[in-house]
Amino acid sequence: MFLRNCWYVAARDSELDDRRLVARRILGEPMLFFRTADGTIAAFQDRCPHRLAPLSAGRRIGDRIRCGYHGIEFAADGRCVHIPGQDTVPASAGVRTFPALLRHGCAWVWPGDPTKADPALIPDVPWPRLAGWATAEGYTHVAADYRLLTDNLLDLSHETYLHDATIGNQAEQTIADYPVTVGERPGQVIEARRVMAGIDAPPFFAMILGTDGRIDRWQAAIWAPPCVNLTDTKAAPAGATDAQPYVGRVLHLLTPETAASTHYFWSLSRNYRTSDDELTELLRGSLRQTFDEDKYMLELQQREVAATGLAIPGLAVKLDVAAVRARRILDGLIRRERDGAAPAIGPAVLVD
């Protein structure tokens, strides 16, 4: 169920300094990350080859990791460089490492074949660190299959019902009633786009635009394999053709932890009131509330899947088209990888 020959977000760059160790399970694999003295990212299998103790339970000594059980030390490239009580170090004593690098404010890791790790395949998602944008970001752990999160993010009609206190319209203006256009961009990217003209401003947009009146809202849900999602949103007072529209780009960088849990790195970058730090914090809180609502529903789904073995969707409806297309693409990529084919993911074009 995992595509391995691709890049996943392991951590925010702010989590990594020249002292801290960051331990995360990714695709079922325990991994350890730290920034070396020269600023590069070291990524280890978080397991000492001696007694299988987590290296994250040890100590950092400069750019070395010392196992907290028996003091065996490993260099940043995974080589074992010291074993207490003996002068020689077996050549086989090293720790597996993974290609890792920093880009767009995140540390990315390649869990698959290291000879196929191409930095050009990292999705182009620059807005959190791009001049002229203000960003609120956070992290949510979700005890659910990462594919359920992608399903959720590609069908935004649920906003009316699950997020009525933040980004959703009222039931009489349900998002589902506005036609959605589903297409494909270069890099096997799926896009589901809606235009909602003259709608009542949901609480989130009322806060952003400073109006309780009607607004025009444009919304696109975009997915790039295996699990990068973008909600691209524009909004303006209804009919205000001369007004600068609010543009918000919500990145949902999903990294599978296990088959039933996901690391959810999220951020909202906006072009509107970019110097308003108070607004940034208000938006961070609003996003956290919104994604906690998603977490609640997704974890309920995951429990039912685990208890029954039933597939989702059990009942297919018209609004599932984008999610179904994304799952078919992902399944095909995973099959190709299992058959030994070269990585089939190209550079993803999320927006023009």
mmCIF file of all heavy atoms in Angstrom, residues 33-61:
data_model
loop_
_atom_site.group_PDB
_atom_site.id
_atom_site.type_symbol
_atom_site.label_atom_id
_atom_site.label_comp_id
_atom_site.label_asym_id
_atom_site.label_seq_id
_atom_site.Cartn_x
_atom_site.Cartn_y
_atom_site.Cartn_z
ATOM 1 N N PHE A 33 16.374 11.433 12.509
ATOM 2 C CA PHE A 33 16.853 12.546 11.689
ATOM 3 C C PHE A 33 17.576 13.570 12.568
ATOM 4 O O PHE A 33 17.179 13.832 13.694
ATOM 5 C CB PHE A 33 15.682 13.241 10.986
ATOM 6 C CG PHE A 33 14.847 12.323 10.145
ATOM 7 C CD1 PHE A 33 13.740 11.679 10.696
ATOM 8 C CD2 PHE A 33 15.178 12.076 8.831
ATOM 9 C CE1 PHE A 33 12.976 10.816 9.926
ATOM 10 C CE2 PHE A 33 14.416 11.214 8.056
ATOM 11 C CZ PHE A 33 13.316 10.580 8.603
ATOM 12 N N PHE A 34 18.647 14.146 12.010
ATOM 13 C CA PHE A 34 19.294 15.277 12.684
ATOM 14 C C PHE A 34 20.064 16.085 11.649
ATOM 15 O O PHE A 34 20.406 15.604 10.568
ATOM 16 C CB PHE A 34 20.188 14.835 13.840
ATOM 17 C CG PHE A 34 21.377 13.981 13.457
ATOM 18 C CD1 PHE A 34 22.627 14.539 13.242
ATOM 19 C CD2 PHE A 34 21.243 12.605 13.347
ATOM 20 C CE1 PHE A 34 23.727 13.751 12.927
ATOM 21 C CE2 PHE A 34 22.333 11.799 13.025
ATOM 22 C CZ PHE A 34 23.569 12.379 12.801
ATOM 23 N N ARG A 35 20.303 17.338 11.999
ATOM 24 C CA ARG A 35 21.060 18.247 11.134
ATOM 25 C C ARG A 35 22.523 18.219 11.565
ATOM 26 O O ARG A 35 22.826 18.410 12.744
ATOM 27 C CB ARG A 35 20.508 19.665 11.223
ATOM 28 C CG ARG A 35 21.018 20.598 10.120
ATOM 29 C CD ARG A 35 20.674 22.044 10.451
ATOM 30 N NE ARG A 35 19.256 22.268 10.597
ATOM 31 C CZ ARG A 35 18.495 22.874 9.690
ATOM 32 N NH1 ARG A 35 19.025 23.286 8.558
ATOM 33 N NH2 ARG A 35 17.209 23.070 9.915
ATOM 34 N N THR A 36 23.422 17.992 10.632
ATOM 35 C CA THR A 36 24.840 17.929 10.959
ATOM 36 C C THR A 36 25.426 19.336 11.050
ATOM 37 O O THR A 36 24.768 20.330 10.735
ATOM 38 C CB THR A 36 25.598 17.118 9.896
ATOM 39 O OG1 THR A 36 25.520 17.816 8.639
ATOM 40 C CG2 THR A 36 25.008 15.723 9.745
ATOM 41 N N ALA A 37 26.690 19.401 11.456
ATOM 42 C CA ALA A 37 27.338 20.697 11.630
ATOM 43 C C ALA A 37 27.411 21.476 10.323
ATOM 44 O O ALA A 37 27.432 22.711 10.331
ATOM 45 C CB ALA A 37 28.741 20.491 12.209
ATOM 46 N N ASP A 38 27.462 20.788 9.178
ATOM 47 C CA ASP A 38 27.532 21.494 7.894
ATOM 48 C C ASP A 38 26.158 21.807 7.314
ATOM 49 O O ASP A 38 26.037 22.298 6.194
ATOM 50 C CB ASP A 38 28.374 20.713 6.886
ATOM 51 C CG ASP A 38 27.751 19.378 6.489
ATOM 52 O OD1 ASP A 38 26.614 19.092 6.927
ATOM 53 O OD2 ASP A 38 28.405 18.621 5.754
ATOM 54 N N GLY A 39 25.084 21.522 8.086
ATOM 55 C CA GLY A 39 23.739 21.889 7.677
ATOM 56 C C GLY A 39 22.986 20.846 6.889
ATOM 57 O O GLY A 39 21.813 21.047 6.563
ATOM 58 N N THR A 40 23.615 19.733 6.562
ATOM 59 C CA THR A 40 22.907 18.676 5.843
ATOM 60 C C THR A 40 22.081 17.844 6.825
ATOM 61 O O THR A 40 22.252 17.927 8.038
ATOM 62 C CB THR A 40 23.887 17.764 5.090
ATOM 63 O OG1 THR A 40 24.808 17.181 6.026
ATOM 64 C CG2 THR A 40 24.670 18.555 4.045
ATOM 65 N N ILE A 41 21.162 17.026 6.262
ATOM 66 C CA ILE A 41 20.292 16.194 7.080
ATOM 67 C C ILE A 41 20.767 14.749 7.031
ATOM 68 O O ILE A 41 20.954 14.182 5.948
ATOM 69 C CB ILE A 41 18.837 16.274 6.590
ATOM 70 C CG1 ILE A 41 18.334 17.712 6.659
ATOM 71 C CG2 ILE A 41 17.936 15.361 7.422
ATOM 72 C CD1 ILE A 41 18.344 18.324 8.042
ATOM 73 N N ALA A 42 20.995 14.178 8.215
ATOM 74 C CA ALA A 42 21.316 12.755 8.333
ATOM 75 C C ALA A 42 20.030 12.010 8.662
ATOM 76 O O ALA A 42 19.239 12.451 9.496
ATOM 77 C CB ALA A 42 22.358 12.518 9.420
ATOM 78 N N ALA A 43 19.822 10.886 7.990
ATOM 79 C CA ALA A 43 18.621 10.077 8.204
ATOM 80 C C ALA A 43 19.038 8.625 8.391
ATOM 81 O O ALA A 43 19.611 8.016 7.487
ATOM 82 C CB ALA A 43 17.667 10.207 7.020
ATOM 83 N N PHE A 44 18.786 8.088 9.585
ATOM 84 C CA PHE A 44 19.177 6.729 9.964
ATOM 85 C C PHE A 44 17.956 5.846 10.118
ATOM 86 O O PHE A 44 16.862 6.321 10.437
ATOM 87 C CB PHE A 44 19.837 6.715 11.350
ATOM 88 C CG PHE A 44 21.253 7.201 11.432
ATOM 89 C CD1 PHE A 44 21.842 7.932 10.418
ATOM 90 C CD2 PHE A 44 21.997 6.930 12.563
ATOM 91 C CE1 PHE A 44 23.147 8.377 10.536
ATOM 92 C CE2 PHE A 44 23.295 7.368 12.691
ATOM 93 C CZ PHE A 44 23.875 8.094 11.671
ATOM 94 N N GLN A 45 18.175 4.550 9.994
ATOM 95 C CA GLN A 45 17.232 3.600 10.571
ATOM 96 C C GLN A 45 17.398 3.693 12.086
ATOM 97 O O GLN A 45 18.512 3.623 12.606
ATOM 98 C CB GLN A 45 17.544 2.181 10.090
ATOM 99 C CG GLN A 45 16.526 1.151 10.515
ATOM 100 C CD GLN A 45 16.873 -0.218 9.953
ATOM 101 O OE1 GLN A 45 17.943 -0.763 10.215
ATOM 102 N NE2 GLN A 45 15.962 -0.784 9.179
ATOM 103 N N ASP A 46 16.300 3.890 12.795
ATOM 104 C CA ASP A 46 16.363 4.121 14.245
ATOM 105 C C ASP A 46 16.446 2.788 14.984
ATOM 106 O O ASP A 46 15.547 2.416 15.735
ATOM 107 C CB ASP A 46 15.144 4.927 14.692
ATOM 108 C CG ASP A 46 15.284 5.435 16.130
ATOM 109 O OD1 ASP A 46 16.404 5.390 16.665
ATOM 110 O OD2 ASP A 46 14.262 5.855 16.694
ATOM 111 N N ARG A 47 17.578 2.093 14.761
ATOM 112 C CA ARG A 47 17.722 0.771 15.354
ATOM 113 C C ARG A 47 19.199 0.397 15.400
ATOM 114 O O ARG A 47 19.850 0.317 14.363
ATOM 115 C CB ARG A 47 16.960 -0.261 14.521
ATOM 116 C CG ARG A 47 16.990 -1.681 15.064
ATOM 117 C CD ARG A 47 16.328 -2.649 14.091
ATOM 118 N NE ARG A 47 14.931 -2.298 13.852
ATOM 119 C CZ ARG A 47 14.358 -2.323 12.653
ATOM 120 N NH1 ARG A 47 15.038 -2.664 11.578
ATOM 121 N NH2 ARG A 47 13.068 -2.002 12.535
ATOM 122 N N CYS A 48 19.720 0.198 16.587
ATOM 123 C CA CYS A 48 21.107 -0.234 16.717
ATOM 124 C C CYS A 48 21.221 -1.689 16.256
ATOM 125 O O CYS A 48 20.417 -2.541 16.669
ATOM 126 C CB CYS A 48 21.562 -0.098 18.169
ATOM 127 S SG CYS A 48 23.294 -0.605 18.420
ATOM 128 N N PRO A 49 22.209 -2.019 15.406
ATOM 129 C CA PRO A 49 22.315 -3.390 14.916
ATOM 130 C C PRO A 49 22.752 -4.391 15.985
ATOM 131 O O PRO A 49 22.664 -5.597 15.754
ATOM 132 C CB PRO A 49 23.373 -3.276 13.815
ATOM 133 C CG PRO A 49 24.185 -2.086 14.173
ATOM 134 C CD PRO A 49 23.233 -1.133 14.813
ATOM 135 N N HIS A 50 23.155 -3.909 17.161
ATOM 136 C CA HIS A 50 23.619 -4.805 18.211
ATOM 137 C C HIS A 50 22.460 -5.487 18.928
ATOM 138 O O HIS A 50 22.244 -6.688 18.834
ATOM 139 C CB HIS A 50 24.490 -4.006 19.200
ATOM 140 C CG HIS A 50 24.925 -4.784 20.398
ATOM 141 N ND1 HIS A 50 24.948 -4.226 21.672
ATOM 142 C CD2 HIS A 50 25.347 -6.060 20.548
ATOM 143 C CE1 HIS A 50 25.374 -5.126 22.529
ATOM 144 N NE2 HIS A 50 25.624 -6.253 21.879
ATOM 145 N N ARG A 51 21.643 -4.703 19.624
ATOM 146 C CA ARG A 51 20.524 -5.253 20.400
ATOM 147 C C ARG A 51 19.179 -4.632 20.013
ATOM 148 O O ARG A 51 18.190 -4.745 20.745
ATOM 149 C CB ARG A 51 20.776 -5.030 21.895
ATOM 150 C CG ARG A 51 21.917 -5.854 22.468
ATOM 151 C CD ARG A 51 21.488 -7.279 22.698
ATOM 152 N NE ARG A 51 22.557 -8.122 23.216
ATOM 153 C CZ ARG A 51 22.373 -9.377 23.618
ATOM 154 N NH1 ARG A 51 21.173 -9.912 23.561
ATOM 155 N NH2 ARG A 51 23.388 -10.095 24.055
ATOM 156 N N LEU A 52 19.159 -3.967 18.850
ATOM 157 C CA LEU A 52 17.936 -3.391 18.294
ATOM 158 C C LEU A 52 17.342 -2.270 19.150
ATOM 159 O O LEU A 52 16.166 -1.928 19.012
ATOM 160 C CB LEU A 52 16.873 -4.469 18.051
ATOM 161 C CG LEU A 52 17.319 -5.697 17.252
ATOM 162 C CD1 LEU A 52 16.121 -6.602 16.952
ATOM 163 C CD2 LEU A 52 18.038 -5.307 15.960
ATOM 164 N N ALA A 53 18.148 -1.683 20.007
ATOM 165 C CA ALA A 53 17.680 -0.541 20.795
ATOM 166 C C ALA A 53 17.509 0.667 19.882
ATOM 167 O O ALA A 53 18.303 0.869 18.945
ATOM 168 C CB ALA A 53 18.687 -0.210 21.898
ATOM 169 N N PRO A 54 16.483 1.494 20.089
ATOM 170 C CA PRO A 54 16.338 2.710 19.271
ATOM 171 C C PRO A 54 17.522 3.651 19.485
ATOM 172 O O PRO A 54 17.853 3.988 20.631
ATOM 173 C CB PRO A 54 15.039 3.331 19.790
ATOM 174 C CG PRO A 54 14.323 2.232 20.503
ATOM 175 C CD PRO A 54 15.380 1.337 21.055
ATOM 176 N N LEU A 55 18.132 4.070 18.410
ATOM 177 C CA LEU A 55 19.243 5.017 18.540
ATOM 178 C C LEU A 55 18.751 6.362 19.055
ATOM 179 O O LEU A 55 19.519 7.127 19.656
ATOM 180 C CB LEU A 55 19.950 5.178 17.200
ATOM 181 C CG LEU A 55 20.750 3.954 16.754
ATOM 182 C CD1 LEU A 55 21.234 4.121 15.321
ATOM 183 C CD2 LEU A 55 21.923 3.703 17.690
ATOM 184 N N SER A 56 17.480 6.663 18.848
ATOM 185 C CA SER A 56 16.915 7.910 19.359
ATOM 186 C C SER A 56 16.875 7.926 20.878
ATOM 187 O O SER A 56 16.703 8.996 21.489
ATOM 188 C CB SER A 56 15.511 8.126 18.794
ATOM 189 O OG SER A 56 14.664 7.028 19.105
ATOM 190 N N ALA A 57 17.026 6.755 21.522
ATOM 191 C CA ALA A 57 17.100 6.691 22.982
ATOM 192 C C ALA A 57 18.525 6.900 23.467
ATOM 193 O O ALA A 57 18.799 6.801 24.672
ATOM 194 C CB ALA A 57 16.570 5.344 23.483
ATOM 195 N N GLY A 58 19.446 7.191 22.524
ATOM 196 C CA GLY A 58 20.838 7.432 22.872
ATOM 197 C C GLY A 58 21.151 8.914 22.973
ATOM 198 O O GLY A 58 20.312 9.732 23.348
ATOM 199 N N ARG A 59 22.365 9.249 22.578
ATOM 200 C CA ARG A 59 22.845 10.620 22.747
ATOM 201 C C ARG A 59 23.607 11.057 21.509
ATOM 202 O O ARG A 59 24.301 10.257 20.877
ATOM 203 C CB ARG A 59 23.755 10.702 23.972
ATOM 204 C CG ARG A 59 24.323 12.084 24.260
ATOM 205 C CD ARG A 59 25.181 12.075 25.500
ATOM 206 N NE ARG A 59 24.422 11.659 26.678
ATOM 207 C CZ ARG A 59 24.938 11.513 27.892
ATOM 208 N NH1 ARG A 59 26.248 11.709 28.081
ATOM 209 N NH2 ARG A 59 24.182 11.151 28.903
ATOM 210 N N ARG A 60 23.485 12.335 21.203
ATOM 211 C CA ARG A 60 24.258 12.893 20.106
ATOM 212 C C ARG A 60 25.597 13.390 20.632
ATOM 213 O O ARG A 60 25.661 14.140 21.617
ATOM 214 C CB ARG A 60 23.473 14.024 19.457
ATOM 215 C CG ARG A 60 24.226 14.640 18.305
ATOM 216 C CD ARG A 60 23.360 15.558 17.482
ATOM 217 N NE ARG A 60 24.161 16.193 16.462
ATOM 218 C CZ ARG A 60 23.683 16.993 15.533
ATOM 219 N NH1 ARG A 60 22.375 17.247 15.504
ATOM 220 N NH2 ARG A 60 24.463 17.545 14.640
ATOM 221 N N ILE A 61 26.673 12.988 19.965
ATOM 222 C CA ILE A 61 28.030 13.441 20.293
ATOM 223 C C ILE A 61 28.585 14.094 19.035
ATOM 224 O O ILE A 61 29.117 13.425 18.152
ATOM 225 C CB ILE A 61 28.941 12.266 20.742
ATOM 226 C CG1 ILE A 61 28.275 11.407 21.809
ATOM 227 C CG2 ILE A 61 30.298 12.794 21.193
ATOM 228 C CD1 ILE A 61 28.042 12.119 23.123
#
